[in-house]
Amino acid sequence: MMQLWPQLLLSLAEKVLADIIAMDQEAKPRLKRLAGKQFAFQLQELKLRVVLTATDSTILLNQHQEPVDCAIQTDLASLKRLRDPNQLTQLIKQDAVQVEGDLQVAQQFSGFFQQLQPDWSGKLASYLGDGMAHKVEVSLKQMTRVIASKAQQLDQLSTELLQDELQLTPHPLEVEQFSVDVSRLQAKVDRLQQQLTALQE
Amino acid sequence: MSDSKAKTTDFGFKTVAEDEKVSLVADVFHSVAAKYDVMNDLMSFGIHRLWKRFTIDCSAVRPGQSVLDLAGGTGDLTALFSKRVGPTGKVVLADINASMLNVGRDKLRDQGLVDNIDYVQANAEALPFADNSFDIITIGFGLRNVTNKSAALASMFRVLKPGGRLLVLEFSKPESELLSKAYDLYSFKLLPKMGQLIANDPDSYQYLAESIRMHPDQETLKQMMEQVGFAEVSYHNLTGGIVALHRGYKF
Ligand SMILES: C[S@@+](CC[C@H](N)C(=O)[O-])C[C@H]1O[C@@H](n2cnc3c(N)ncnc32)[C@H](O)[C@@H]1O
């Protein structure tokens, strides 16, 4: 049974995503440009590789390892740095992010999600009426703020936890140190090799 | 021209003449068509939706491709494919049974899916399509109802494009003895009762349970696919082997 959890998860996520996209009037025209493109995203910590297919009204979710227009693989720690687009090239150079295919497609998808602005209060108003919807919105905003600050704490905690406790993801400095160590070793081996050939001759 | 020993085949646990099976199967699906979707959800506790999504995942479908959903019935797989291949692609929903096709067409139309779907009444054993027509063919819970399975597989192989793939989603053999027992109990005791209560049609659901037991197991089906030319045939057991998804390529 467990092996079907990605299908369960993605079918639910697909519905939620469709609802959110439908709540943004501006989303559809922007989707037109994306329609027919496929983008895959994988987090190293999860086995799941999510394939997003843009249609002219929504984004569909699947799961497989096969070729798409653009595929990106990264880990949790780098994902956070990815929010800053300027970091991208650096992350690619450090091999913290692997890109396969047309990077522009990834940027288009990411741009679409960043600009997504679902009209929650409009949706609420259609259920509750305007006055009530406004009240709910205000308290929701408060709640979001609280959640956001908690989430940030949690974020920090999880990064530290991953790095220090679980030692799953090496700190960039550690990676750097490792590379330095490797090239030193390389140099030593080279020298040794030369001495060895000299001896043999 | 009558042979004293007419060719026979299985219809559930019964043995019937080969040419009789087609119409018997037709009766079953004419009779269940209207209640088919409700029964599917009930009988499988909704899990058939996940088996179908797993099938779509394994197809790695891309926008613009052409897909044949064979024995497609009420069109669950067709709906998933139609959205994914988009306006530049095409899905053909083919089924031998007009009642199932009609239920399917109405349902898909209600979901707003019209532009890229064709409906074709056809027998899987003799597909009315040109050679090398499709990138992907699926047959979901259909193969077990087909009289001559090898002929059907060969026909699918013919209409598949080189590089294309076939996905066979079908009931299969549970991996564990215990699950197998529980499953037997469920399908022979409970299923026909549910069929009686909800669809007022215990016989059709008795046939369902029996036809599942008569269907070739994982390895046998794999060999049958290889025999008609499919390459790199593999299968996934789902839900403990109650269902298996076979995949094969045409190169
Ligand atoms: C159990 S339904 C499956 C429907 C759908 N694929 C699904 O998974 O929900 C089996 C379908 O196979 C169709 N069928 C049976 N024999 C067939 C044949 N020889 N050629 C094409 N379709 C056939 C039936 O009419 C029926 O609609």
Side-chain angles (χ1 to χ4, degrees):
Chain A
M1 195 58 254
M2 276 316 285
Q3 98 220 81
L4 288 169
W5 75 265
Q7 281 71 33
L8 179 62
L9 194 81
L10 292 181
S11 68
L12 295 175
E14 189 178 280
K15 281 209 186 71
V16 173
L17 188 56
D19 285 345
I20 293 178
I21 291 174
M23 268 187 251
D24 181 353
Q25 300 281 313
E26 319 277 272
K28 266 203 181 174
R30 292 198 290 115
L31 260 179
K32 287 256 156 28
R33 265 171 282 146
L34 261 186
K37 298 209 173 106
Q38 278 186 321
F39 166 60
F41 182 79
Q42 176 160 24
L43 267 187
Q44 241 124 59
E45 285 84 353
L46 295 177
K47 288 244 169 58
L48 198 64
R49 181 179 185 258
V50 182
V51 174
L52 297 86
T53 307
T55 76
D56 49 19
S57 57
T58 187
I59 289 182
L60 305 167
L61 305 177
N62 282 90
Q63 189 259 138
H64 60 72
Q65 300 293 336
E66 298 187 46
V68 290
D69 298 312
C70 178
I72 283 199
Q73 207 187 64
T74 186
D75 52 60
L76 262 179
S78 319
L79 181 65
K80 273 169 218 141
R81 292 169 60 200
L82 256 183
R83 275 192 217 143
D84 174 6
N86 303 323
Q87 297 249 17
L88 183 63
T89 31
Q90 213 197 335
L91 284 168
I92 292 178
K93 269 194 210 133
Q94 291 172 350
D95 227 19
V97 173
Q98 284 106 44
V99 183
E100 222 176 285
D102 184 359
L103 187 58
Q104 224 186 331
V105 171
Q107 283 162 335
Q108 285 171 337
F109 270 90
S110 139
F112 174 79
F113 283 110
Q114 269 161 27
Q115 286 175 45
L116 198 58
Q117 275 179 334
D119 174 17
W120 299 106
S121 53
K123 185 87 187 173
L124 268 181
S126 72
Y127 290 122
L128 305 172
D130 286 332
M132 192 61 185
H134 180 70
K135 272 184 214 152
V136 174
E137 209 198 341
V138 171
S139 28
L140 266 181
K141 275 206 180 119
Q142 271 167 356
M143 220 160 77
T144 336
R145 266 202 297 278
V146 176
I147 291 174
S149 82
K150 289 274 178 253
Q152 208 175 5
Q153 286 167 16
L154 202 71
D155 225 32
Q156 185 67 30
L157 195 71
S158 70
T159 312
E160 281 165 14
L161 204 75
L162 279 175
Q163 278 168 359
D164 307 338
E165 306 295 329
L166 302 177
Q167 289 288 326
L168 285 180
T169 38
H171 192 274
L173 280 177
E174 289 175 311
V175 177
E176 201 119 305
Q177 185 58 44
F178 179 71
S179 320
V180 173
D181 288 348
V182 169
S183 35
R184 280 211 189 111
L185 193 64
Q186 170 94 50
K188 272 190 198 159
V189 172
D190 282 347
R191 274 204 299 280
L192 209 63
Q193 179 105 49
Q194 275 166 15
Q195 286 168 356
L196 212 72
T197 10
L199 272 180
Q200 277 169 345
E201 283 164 1
Chain B
M1 281 282 291
S2 82
D3 202 331
S4 60
K5 268 199 331 197
K7 283 202 181 145
T8 59
T9 186
D10 56 281
F11 175 74
F13 290 164
K14 295 186 200 68
T15 301
V16 300
E18 264 196 1
D19 39 8
E20 202 186 340
K21 175 160 173 169
V22 178
S23 74
L24 286 172
V25 169
D27 290 346
V28 167
F29 286 102
H30 281 305
S31 124
V32 301
K35 292 272 165 63
Y36 180 80
D37 285 343
V38 189
M39 280 304 284
N40 255 1
D41 274 335
L42 274 171
M43 292 182 314
S44 74
F45 311 103
I47 298 173
H48 73 102
R49 293 165 187 265
L50 300 182
W51 295 331
K52 285 168 184 165
R53 282 195 72 109
F54 188 90
T55 306
I56 303 290
D57 286 351
C58 267
S59 79
V61 60
R62 296 178 59 75
Q65 286 189 317
S66 53
V67 179
L68 171 62
D69 180 14
L70 188 53
T74 57
D76 284 348
L77 286 164
T78 297
L80 292 164
F81 275 127
S82 162
K83 294 179 198 157
R84 282 160 177 82
V85 298
T88 55
K90 190 187 70 179
V91 186
V92 176
L93 170 51
D95 200 291
I96 201 169
N97 191 299
S99 306
M100 292 293 279
L101 272 178
N102 285 335
V103 175
R105 188 183 292 130
D106 290 346
K107 179 170 89 179
L108 297 176
R109 210 177 273 153
D110 286 347
Q111 294 179 16
L113 302 171
V114 271
D115 293 336
N116 58 5
I117 305 177
D118 286 342
Y119 299 86
V120 177
Q121 190 171 357
N123 187 339
E125 289 173 37
L127 291 170
F129 306 107
D131 296 3
N132 311 328
S133 302
F134 299 98
D135 297 293
I136 298 167
I137 300 180
T138 55
I139 177 162
F141 305 109
L143 193 59
R144 111 188 145 260
N145 301 302
V146 173
T147 311
N148 186 339
K149 297 178 183 54
S150 287
L153 289 170
S155 184
M156 295 176 220
F157 188 78
R158 181 181 65 76
V159 301
L160 200 60
K161 285 185 197 169
R165 63 183 83 181
L166 167 69
L167 296 154
V168 182
L169 180 65
E170 190 52 91
F171 291 107
S172 207
K173 204 171 160 223
E175 290 160 300
S176 86
E177 202 52 39
L178 194 68
L179 181 59
S180 189
K181 288 229 172 72
Y183 181 47
D184 270 350
L185 210 64
Y186 169 72
S187 41
F188 287 107
K189 297 275 185 278
L190 211 59
L191 259 191
K193 291 258 162 54
M194 284 162 79
Q196 160 112 58
L197 273 172
I198 294 143
N200 194 18
D201 187 1
D203 294 345
S204 294
Y205 289 89
Q206 178 73 26
Y207 162 73
L208 171 68
E210 293 181 4
S211 67
I212 290 169
R213 295 311 180 286
M214 297 303 290
H215 190 67
D217 66 12
Q218 287 87 334
E219 282 299 326
T220 313
L221 178 56
K222 182 176 171 216
Q223 281 163 22
M224 288 169 75
M225 288 173 69
E226 284 164 349
Q227 266 156 23
V228 302
F230 285 99
E232 286 181 26
V233 179
S234 61
Y235 61 84
H236 285 280
N237 281 331
L238 300 172
T239 316
I242 287 180
V243 162
L245 178 67
H246 282 68
R247 174 165 67 179
Y249 293 85
K250 173 176 176 179
F251 289 128

